[in-house]
Amino acid sequence: MSSASFEGTDDIVLPFAVEPLDVRGRVVRLGSSIDTILARHGYPDRVARVIGEAAALTVMLGASLKLEGRFQLQTKTDGIIDMVVVDFNAPDRLRATARFDKDKLEALDSASVGTGELLGSGYLAMTIDQGSERSRYQGVVALDGQGFEEAAHQYFRQSEQIPTQVRLAVAEQFENGRHTYRAGGLMIQFLPSSPERLRQADLNPGDIPEGHPSNDLTGPSEDDAWLEAKSLVGTVEDHELVDPTVSSETLLYRLFHERGVRVFEGQHVHEECTCSHERIMGMMRRFPPEDRRDMVGENGRIGITCEFCSRFYDLDPVEVEAEIAKAEASQ
């Protein structure tokens, strides 16, 4: 393992490689970044934990964009939490928001309702946008009661065909007189030089009758190196992903010290919204004049609140129309 500090570090995504197993991966620890997002909106605990999982997954995947571009995770479902949106703007900016049914959430009896049950059925979309139509890519996964871990596995099986294992965790702790949230994640991917070694385990045939050709699961098994890597990651407990006294380096050493793990330079992450007066005006230009007139409140102003950071924009309708006319004239 390369030399690195073993002190716990929050708000960082750390790439690593276990070369004897042909495995690469990332570990993410989110502290103040995710807590700021959750505290700003005052989300109920169950909703906060779902957003924390989504944020950890988004950062792990979005970190591959390096220096430019945006990675967005978005769900649209029929569940109690019917929408989650997380934006990671490379290389280090994170924001997130969610929409949920407060009455249905409060009516829940069980305290152990999982992420999949809260999300319900619908879809999860992962979008990579690097600034042009040609570089924009979107992968969509159907959600039917599964959480973000299994949805990520399904995404990589279908879209990338890369054997992938993901672990996510969220925890609440009492710190400096108040409750704060932390989130963590670990992802490994099997990337051997030989494509023949990429075979993954077949899905269970379900209700297909025994003896039917489609029910034959015989054939090449998964690669031993990948099975070993998955087995090791399977031993990770939730608290290890979010414990502030256990650094990412320490966790990786615990898992892979017998094989040897190489840690690369980490990327710090912070909460930052991308909203601005210019972006708000760009949005306003997309509405027809009659719709903009309907936005004017009883006080004669247009009020817009950013759903991500809750910043309120108080706009003068006359100034809005003047700015739009000037922008259109310059085109």
Side-chain angles (χ1 to χ4, degrees), residues 238-310:
D238 286 358
H239 71 85
E240 294 180 282
L241 294 172
V242 292
D243 189 338
T245 67
V246 179
S247 70
S248 297
E249 294 93 337
T250 300
L251 175 60
L252 292 174
Y253 180 78
R254 288 178 181 177
L255 288 174
F256 302 114
H257 66 277
E258 292 186 358
R259 287 294 193 171
V261 55
R262 184 181 178 191
V263 175
F264 303 98
E265 183 177 357
Q267 173 63 60
H268 286 276
V269 178
H270 68 276
E271 180 276 331
E272 181 181 330
C273 191
T274 58
C275 74
S276 65
H277 178 82
E278 291 72 21
R279 286 178 177 267
I280 293 295
M281 290 305 302
M283 177 192 72
M284 294 295 290
R285 285 197 296 271
R286 292 196 289 269
F287 288 99
E290 56 271 21
D291 286 354
R292 294 198 294 268
R293 287 193 292 270
D294 290 341
M295 295 178 188
V296 179
E298 294 181 357
N299 63 352
R301 311 281 292 185
I302 298 175
I304 297 176
T305 301
C306 175
E307 62 182 359
F308 285 96
C309 69
S310 300

Side-chain angles (χ1 to χ4, degrees), residues 19-312:
E19 291 166 355
L21 298 179
D22 291 314
V23 162
R24 287 184 174 266
R26 298 185 191 93
V27 182
V28 63
R29 299 292 182 101
L30 301 179
S32 63
S33 60
I34 189 62
D35 186 62
T36 298
I37 291 170
L38 299 176
R40 179 181 290 129
H41 293 275
Y43 289 116
D45 180 67
R46 285 170 168 147
V47 178
R49 291 176 182 273
V50 170
I51 297 172
E53 288 185 17
L57 178 59
T58 300
V59 171
M60 283 195 297
L61 299 179
S64 64
L65 296 178
K66 305 298 182 184
L67 298 178
E68 62 180 15
R70 182 181 72 161
F71 183 95
Q72 183 185 81
L73 179 151
Q74 180 174 6
T75 68
K76 186 174 183 181
T77 62
D78 62 2
I80 293 175
I81 303 175
D82 63 356
M83 184 194 74
V84 177
V85 181
V86 185
D87 278 345
F88 180 78
N89 285 272
D92 58 4
R93 293 178 294 169
L94 175 69
R95 64 178 190 167
T97 187
R99 187 175 62 203
F100 62 97
D101 189 313
K102 182 179 179 181
D103 294 335
K104 290 183 179 179
L105 186 69
E106 292 177 347
L108 284 176
D109 294 327
S110 174
S112 59
V113 176
T115 298
E117 295 171 273
L118 291 169
L119 293 176
S121 298
Y123 69 84
L124 179 150
M126 300 185 190
T127 305
I128 298 172
D129 187 351
Q130 294 188 283
S132 68
E133 286 297 323
R134 297 183 64 181
S135 64
R136 193 172 187 273
Y137 169 80
Q138 184 176 77
V140 178
V141 175
L143 291 178
D144 190 18
Q146 73 269 45
F148 287 116
E149 287 184 5
E150 178 51 38
H153 299 158
Q154 186 176 339
Y155 167 78
F156 281 102
R157 281 196 302 265
Q158 295 177 353
S159 301
E160 305 291 336
Q161 297 182 339
I162 299 174
T164 302
Q165 192 77 4
V166 172
R167 286 282 289 108
L168 302 168
V170 178
E172 188 180 14
Q173 67 179 29
F174 192 74
E175 182 179 59
N176 298 327
R178 73 179 189 90
H179 290 279
T180 60
Y181 282 94
R182 305 173 54 78
L186 170 65
M187 179 179 73
I188 59 170
Q189 294 187 303
F190 186 46
L191 298 167
S193 56
S194 171
E196 290 77 16
R197 297 176 60 200
L198 284 172
R199 177 179 172 83
Q200 301 183 67
D202 289 309
L203 299 177
N204 190 295
D207 296 328
I208 297 176
E210 187 174 350
H212 190 279
S214 299
N215 203 0
D216 182 11
L217 298 185
T218 61
S221 60
E222 288 186 299
D223 190 274
D224 289 343
W226 177 235
L227 288 174
E228 179 180 342
K230 285 201 302 181
S231 177
L232 291 171
V233 169
T235 66
V236 175
E237 298 185 18
D238 286 358
H239 71 85
E240 294 180 282
L241 294 172
V242 292
D243 189 338
T245 67
V246 179
S247 70
S248 297
E249 294 93 337
T250 300
L251 175 60
L252 292 174
Y253 180 78
R254 288 178 181 177
L255 288 174
F256 302 114
H257 66 277
E258 292 186 358
R259 287 294 193 171
V261 55
R262 184 181 178 191
V263 175
F264 303 98
E265 183 177 357
Q267 173 63 60
H268 286 276
V269 178
H270 68 276
E271 180 276 331
E272 181 181 330
C273 191
T274 58
C275 74
S276 65
H277 178 82
E278 291 72 21
R279 286 178 177 267
I280 293 295
M281 290 305 302
M283 177 192 72
M284 294 295 290
R285 285 197 296 271
R286 292 196 289 269
F287 288 99
E290 56 271 21
D291 286 354
R292 294 198 294 268
R293 287 193 292 270
D294 290 341
M295 295 178 188
V296 179
E298 294 181 357
N299 63 352
R301 311 281 292 185
I302 298 175
I304 297 176
T305 301
C306 175
E307 62 182 359
F308 285 96
C309 69
S310 300
R311 180 180 175 182
F312 182 73

